Amino acid sequence: MSGYVSSTIPKTIPLRKGFTKAVFDVFPLAVSVFTYGLAFGALANNANHFTWLETIAMSFFVVSGAGQFTILSLLQQDAALWTIALSTFLINARYIIYTLSVGRELESCRRGQPLWLCHIITDESYSVSMMEAQRGKLSVGYVAGAGCTVFLSWVLSSAVGYQIGGFIQDPARFGLDFAFTAAFLGLLVVMLKRRSHAAAAGLAIAASVLAYPWFGTSGAVFAGAAAAFAVGVYAK
């Protein structure tokens, strides 16, 4: 990590630097995260695969809307464990790039801080962190503030959504199953800044549509994720 300094920085780096600013910057996105976190919790209840504590644990340790919605969908189809694991890995592989990208922009950090910072990096916190990096040096406190805000919003909304789901017999009837898709489409549109981005999105859509009739939702998710990942690796 190019921003890492070992002996030339103080033993303790205050996380409060930039933390509050990050909370305000990411708050509107955290609100949207809360809405589809409610949807995830309600669907987790309706799917009858998870208890309330298991739903919270998944949101705490996985911290991936796309991955967790995919897990629910594949479980509903009785997909094989390897399909669920591989599909989730491919969908979440972008976080590896996110972490490396953010780490390169950090002005300084202590040994071990990246280990927990990478756990709370999400699409939303990454986007505001990189915008902050364009304006100047990116502090550990800013990344922590953005990540913690979205993280807490996601975990809390999952817990609340699960309880709400107990009163909703069919979440899909109210369009809750589309909440995450709508939010992710909004993020996608904003991030389509290069031809390679549009190519990755277009190829992922095409691969998913072609794979669905033959392999169902699990195959479509796998094909779309693999196609987009390949474009991201080889596109210049």
Side-chain angles (χ1 to χ4, degrees):
M1 180 178 295
S2 62
Y4 176 75
V5 181
S6 58
S7 59
T8 61
I9 61 176
K11 185 175 181 180
T12 301
I13 298 176
L15 290 180
R16 62 178 177 273
K17 180 182 179 182
F19 191 97
T20 302
K21 183 178 186 298
V23 171
F24 282 100
D25 288 348
V26 82
F27 184 78
L29 294 175
V31 172
S32 69
V33 168
F34 191 90
T35 58
Y36 58 78
L38 292 175
F40 168 74
L43 290 172
N45 186 320
N46 187 259
N48 296 320
H49 284 288
F50 300 98
T51 65
W52 183 67
L53 288 177
E54 289 170 344
T55 299
I56 295 175
M58 177 185 283
S59 291
F60 186 92
F61 290 107
V62 179
V63 201
S64 169
Q68 291 176 227
F69 273 93
T70 297
I71 291 172
L72 286 182
S73 176
L74 295 179
L75 284 174
Q76 287 291 87
Q77 301 178 65
D78 296 321
L81 179 60
W82 73 267
T83 302
I84 297 175
L86 186 57
S87 298
T88 305
F89 172 78
L90 289 175
I91 291 173
N92 294 338
R94 67 189 186 280
Y95 292 120
I96 299 174
I97 307 301
Y98 286 177
T99 303
L100 294 174
S101 179
V102 168
R104 184 176 58 186
E105 299 294 338
L106 286 177
E107 56 181 348
S108 60
C109 65
R110 289 182 59 195
R111 186 186 305 275
Q113 284 181 328
L115 293 179
W116 62 266
L117 281 177
C118 66
H119 180 66
I120 58 175
I121 289 179
T122 64
D123 297 289
E124 297 80 11
S125 65
Y126 172 76
S127 64
V128 297
S129 294
M130 295 310 294
M131 286 190 289
E132 177 68 11
Q134 293 175 3
R135 293 189 288 263
K137 287 294 185 178
L138 181 63
S139 67
V140 172
Y142 190 95
V143 178
C148 287
T149 302
V150 176
F151 176 79
L152 291 175
S153 177
W154 177 247
V155 174
L156 178 61
S157 61
S158 298
V160 175
Y162 189 94
Q163 298 296 338
I164 294 175
F167 301 97
I168 302 176
Q169 297 299 319
D170 184 13
R173 178 183 176 187
F174 300 94
L176 294 180
D177 57 330
F178 189 71
F180 178 78
T181 303
F184 220 78
L185 285 174
L187 288 173
L188 174 64
V189 171
V190 174
M191 297 180 70
L192 293 179
K193 297 180 179 179
R194 300 179 182 178
R195 291 183 178 180
S196 59
H197 298 166
L203 187 59
I205 293 172
S208 298
V209 171
L210 291 174
Y212 181 78
W214 298 92
F215 304 104
T217 302
S218 58
V221 170
F222 175 81
F229 189 77
V231 175
V233 170
Y234 294 106
K236 295 182 180 180

